[in-house]
Amino acid sequence: MHSCQECSRRWQTTYPGCPYCGSTAVAPCTALGEGRVYSWVEIFRSFDVPPSPVPYSVVCVELTEGGRVFGRFLPGGEPQIGSMVQRVEHPEDLIVFTPVEGERQH
Amino acid sequence: MTRSPDKTAVAGVGYTPLTYESGVEVLDLATHAVRAALEDAGLSPHDCDGIATFAMNDSVPAQAVATSLGMDEINFLLDLNLGGQAPAHLLLLVDAAIRAGLAHTVVVFRALNGRSGTRVGRARATDNVPESAAARYRVGLTAYPQYIAMWTRRFMFETGATEEDLGAVVCAQRRYAELNDRAILRKPITLEEYFASPMVVSPFRVADCTREVDGACAVILTSAERARSFRREPVLVHGGAFASGPRPGREIGDVLLWDDYSVNSMHYLGERLWANTGMSPRDVDVAELYDCFSSAVLFALEGLGFVGRGEAGAFVRSGETVLGGSLPVNTHGGLLAEGYVHGMNTIAEAVLQLRGDAGARTVQDAEVALATSGTLMDGSAVLLTRDG
């Protein structure tokens, strides 16, 4: 992740200036990998080349410290918007989120 | 901001047939559509002195078409590297150029083998993949239907919109397509059949997605005064606007920084569109709303202020957007059913409506037509009016 020293906003992709305030005082930072589901999709037809196995779900997660990332949703299906998720380890370092225990899904 | 009293007008409209396999190269399609527009206007290539287009690495440059036409005077040439947000924006740029005296008669086209060739719906960067694209491709978020589906999911969460609302958009537009000889998809559809359509990416079914086609569409823009001396009744460019929300990201598919997925560029466009043109939603007789996906219509109706937040679904379900309703929408069947000429045909249909030239789809006594472009971070819109 990246953060702005002036306005404290955070984001994933590299920019030479803060997308929120334009300051050049930007620096890399880390995140715990925990956040809430902002939105999601369940994909039934893959547009990947070669096609990926379907169905699978992708979530847009608003991280607790700020900033959003996309990740695969484990175990798939329909996540609940607003529910807490946490990042889980993946052998190829893929971003994968799974529901935090104790959080209701429906 | 007031517009100069010298308006421009659309003097000609042309299309190729819209098919799933044209069997010809894109240059042929582009030239064919431009020729059709010229013929419609009663003009030859020698009457034009400018040419403009937009594309996403899937077309031919304007200069190639100028060459095919044998244009001998080229005072204006423009190739926009933009997508669905472009057509109205491009028309307004050409309008400004003509009014500034940079050219007098300009061809505006979009041409693509969008089904048999490069498909916009699944376009992805392969060379010099930007970091933002690489990150989302890795997790399997790779195509426009998926990005827009994710926005639609949030829209449904925040406004209470339902799949029935999406289905209502699809069904309403298919009724127009039934009356449109040019439409690629003319089979009527019931809500039941809509729900039986296979899921592509939730909440979108096949029926919610535009039909990619091979084809081209062109218009001829010139001064209103000049247009009045040509064959067809001029359709005036009254005005319009372009808008992007903040943080459009690193590239055209980079949606990650967008704050609120329940609104799109139309939300940012509305205020300035109506202020620039001195009009309001009430003045619009027919609305051609860019519809790469069904939800785009709901976003546009709310974003531009035709209805309040959360009211677009009910508006469509109650029949307001079909012939005889208070606001006919996408009278060609839209990009959903006429076919995806990337929104150029959205503008062309608005022109046909104001000429009273849309056959059985014609909205009686239409004086003002809106055509929009785009459904993500940026977009544009143009208001067209009958002459006099």
Side-chain angles (χ1 to χ4, degrees), chain B residues 237-251:
Chain B
V237 176
H238 182 79
F242 173 92
S244 173
R247 289 173 290 287
R250 250 187 107 117
E251 27 83 29

Side-chain angles (χ1 to χ4, degrees), chain B residues 277-303:
Chain B
T277 56
M279 288 203 178
S280 79
R282 268 185 321 279
D283 296 311
V284 176
D285 298 310
V286 54
E288 312 299 355
L289 305 175
Y290 183 89
D291 58 327
C292 47
F293 301 96
S294 55
S295 58
V297 172
L298 304 179
F299 274 75
L301 287 170
E302 294 185 11

Side-chain angles (χ1 to χ4, degrees), chain B residues 1-4 6-10 87-89 91-93 95-96 99 221 235-242 269-270 272-279 284 347 354 368-372 380-386:
Chain B
M1 189 192 103
T2 53
R3 284 176 56 82
S4 106
D6 313 301
K7 290 201 150 98
T8 64
V10 177
H89 181 44
L91 200 75
L92 293 168
L93 290 171
D95 163 86
R99 288 187 295 117
L221 206 62
V235 170
L236 303 184
V237 176
H238 182 79
F242 173 92
L269 187 59
R272 230 161 7 89
L273 170 69
W274 306 122
N276 277 5
T277 56
M279 288 203 178
V284 176
I347 292 181
L354 291 180
V368 179
L370 172 71
T372 69
S380 55
V382 62
L383 279 163
L384 303 172
T385 61
R386 290 193 60 202

Side-chain angles (χ1 to χ4, degrees), chain A residues 2 9-16 19-21 37-49 52 56-60 62 68-72 78 81-82 90 92-95, chain B residues 121-122 124 131-132 135-143 145-147 149-154 157-158 198-203 206 247 249-251 254-262:
Chain A
H2 300 80
R9 302 296 291 265
R10 299 160 67 101
W11 61 90
Q12 183 187 34
T13 309
T14 310
Y15 291 101
Y20 293 91
C21 73
V37 176
Y38 177 73
S39 191
W40 60 274
V41 286
E42 187 170 14
I43 287 158
F44 294 91
R45 212 177 263 201
S46 173
F47 292 105
D48 297 347
V49 175
S52 300
Y56 65 92
S57 300
V58 176
V59 280
C60 177
E62 231 151 29
R68 291 202 193 134
V69 294
F70 293 125
R72 282 288 180 112
E78 304 194 354
I81 289 178
H90 186 275
E92 285 145 30
D93 217 26
L94 188 65
I95 298 179
Chain B
R122 53 193 77 186
R124 50 184 289 169
E131 184 190 314
S132 46
R136 67 176 181 273
Y137 295 170
R138 278 213 80 205
V139 301
L141 202 63
T142 53
Q146 299 163 351
Y147 314 150
M150 194 179 276
W151 287 41
T152 304
R153 177 61 61 189
R154 184 74 196 189
F157 174 80
E158 294 217 17
M199 275 290 190
V200 175
V201 44
S202 65
V206 171
R247 289 173 290 287
R250 250 187 107 117
E251 27 83 29
D254 182 13
V255 299
L256 197 58
L257 286 179
W258 189 258
D259 288 334
D260 183 355
Y261 285 1
S262 75

